[in-house]
Amino acid sequence: MVGKAYTKMSLIERSALTFESFLHRDFGNRFYQPEFLDGISARRMEVTSRIGKSAGQAFLLATILAFFDLISGSSFTYGGLTLQITKDLTPIISLLTAGALLNTTFAFIDDQILFRILLKIGNHIKIQNFQLLLVDKMAHNLWGDAVVPRVFGYKSGRGQTIAVRLLSFVVLVISAAMYLYPGFMIARVFLDLISSDGRWIAKAIASLALMVTIWALLLGAIFMVKFKFYPADWHESTDQPTEEFIRRMQSEIAKGDGSASETR
């Protein structure tokens, strides 16, 4: 691979290119039929609901861990059963927090893949904002689309560009802090239990929670990194060789025939 031309892109962008290759096939019109558009709109709204639900759970459970000392020692009654809140519950809450964080990561990646697919569907028919055509089926993050600087029609000025950059920085910092907040609380519970003489089962659950958290953070990081992708020898949506591969093979065959002639 050394010296070969490559393109750097994220795994989400690469997944969208796979879908784009299907748009160029004979069955590409399928993706513009009402059944498909209704389906992908419904799937994205489901994913959006998953993000909100799981992110809310992760944030709430992490906050409970942060202020657990305030409720430790109290009790509550549910269905005639009285439960005592003790330190032994912290690894269980920690594991639930890790599970919610992982589910949030899965859902967010799915949402971004669906978003890229919608962009490819629109770009294929020269529509820059395909999501607005689906507003009757999927009203999702319209405020975000409204603040994005425009290039077509009435072009945005420098003021909006600067404002969006500032907003993007603030959103990025706050989102990162909110995403890492559950992970920090899970790590704190793990360190507290490992350094104490608590029961081994509590330490095991805390260790599992930490591993799930690392899984979620690592998965999110992998999908943010841009990897190198090199030209392949076969078209992605068919079993046919690329034009470049055919030319290379023809050149190698011609060189082989020339060498054979000189030998004779």
Side-chain angles (χ1 to χ4, degrees), residues 12 15 40 43-48 50-51 102-118 140 219 223:
I12 293 176
S15 178
I40 194 172
R43 298 295 81 74
R44 194 168 188 214
M45 294 308 297
E46 290 175 3
V47 170
T48 302
R50 280 174 51 201
I51 293 175
L102 182 61
N103 194 28
T104 301
T105 304
F106 285 147
F108 182 75
I109 293 172
D110 289 345
D111 177 73
Q112 290 303 301
I113 291 175
L114 288 173
F115 173 68
R116 290 282 180 174
I117 287 175
L118 288 172
H140 174 62
L219 184 65
F223 275 87

Side-chain angles (χ1 to χ4, degrees), residues 29-257:
N29 288 334
R30 169 185 180 271
F31 304 113
Y32 299 93
Q33 301 302 314
E35 294 80 5
F36 179 83
L37 297 179
D38 289 342
I40 194 172
S41 299
R43 298 295 81 74
R44 194 168 188 214
M45 294 308 297
E46 290 175 3
V47 170
T48 302
S49 177
R50 280 174 51 201
I51 293 175
K53 182 178 180 180
S54 56
Q57 289 176 346
F59 195 81
L60 175 62
L61 292 170
T63 303
I64 292 176
L65 288 176
F67 296 96
F68 193 83
D69 292 340
L70 299 179
I71 61 175
S72 181
S74 59
S75 60
F76 68 95
T77 301
Y78 181 78
L81 180 65
T82 301
L83 298 177
Q84 186 77 21
I85 300 177
T86 66
K87 275 287 187 180
D88 291 334
L89 286 177
T90 56
I92 298 175
I93 300 175
S94 179
L95 183 58
L96 294 175
T97 306
L101 184 64
L102 182 61
N103 194 28
T104 301
T105 304
F106 285 147
F108 182 75
I109 293 172
D110 289 345
D111 177 73
Q112 290 303 301
I113 291 175
L114 288 173
F115 173 68
R116 290 282 180 174
I117 287 175
L118 288 172
L119 287 181
K120 293 301 182 182
I121 292 176
N123 291 339
H124 186 64
I125 55 176
K126 310 302 181 184
I127 294 180
Q128 302 303 320
N129 196 332
F130 194 74
Q131 292 193 104
L132 286 183
L133 292 181
L134 303 177
V135 71
D136 60 322
K137 309 175 188 297
M138 179 181 59
H140 174 62
N141 281 345
L142 298 181
W143 71 268
D145 177 75
V147 300
V148 173
R150 304 295 181 180
V151 177
F152 300 92
Y154 286 97
K155 185 178 179 180
S156 298
R158 182 177 298 179
Q160 184 181 357
T161 301
I162 295 174
V164 170
R165 287 179 179 175
L166 292 175
L167 178 63
S168 299
F169 176 76
V170 172
V171 170
L172 180 63
V173 172
I174 295 177
S175 298
M178 293 182 65
Y179 187 73
L180 294 175
Y181 169 54
F184 174 78
M185 297 312 306
I186 293 169
R188 196 193 76 168
V189 171
F190 171 78
L191 293 175
D192 288 345
L193 285 172
I194 291 299
S195 59
S196 67
D197 56 351
R199 292 187 293 180
W200 69 268
I201 187 63
K203 295 180 179 181
I205 294 175
S207 300
L208 178 59
L210 183 64
M211 287 187 287
V212 173
T213 302
I214 294 174
W215 178 12
L217 296 177
L218 182 60
L219 184 65
I222 288 175
F223 275 87
M224 291 179 62
V225 172
K226 290 183 178 292
F227 294 94
K228 294 180 180 179
F229 290 90
Y230 297 86
D233 294 332
W234 306 90
H235 289 292
E236 188 160 20
S237 62
T238 67
D239 58 354
Q240 301 300 313
T242 62
E243 292 74 12
E244 175 63 27
F245 179 68
I246 293 175
R247 286 195 296 268
R248 190 167 69 249
M249 291 298 99
Q250 289 174 342
S251 177
E252 292 181 3
I253 292 174
K255 290 179 180 178
D257 291 342

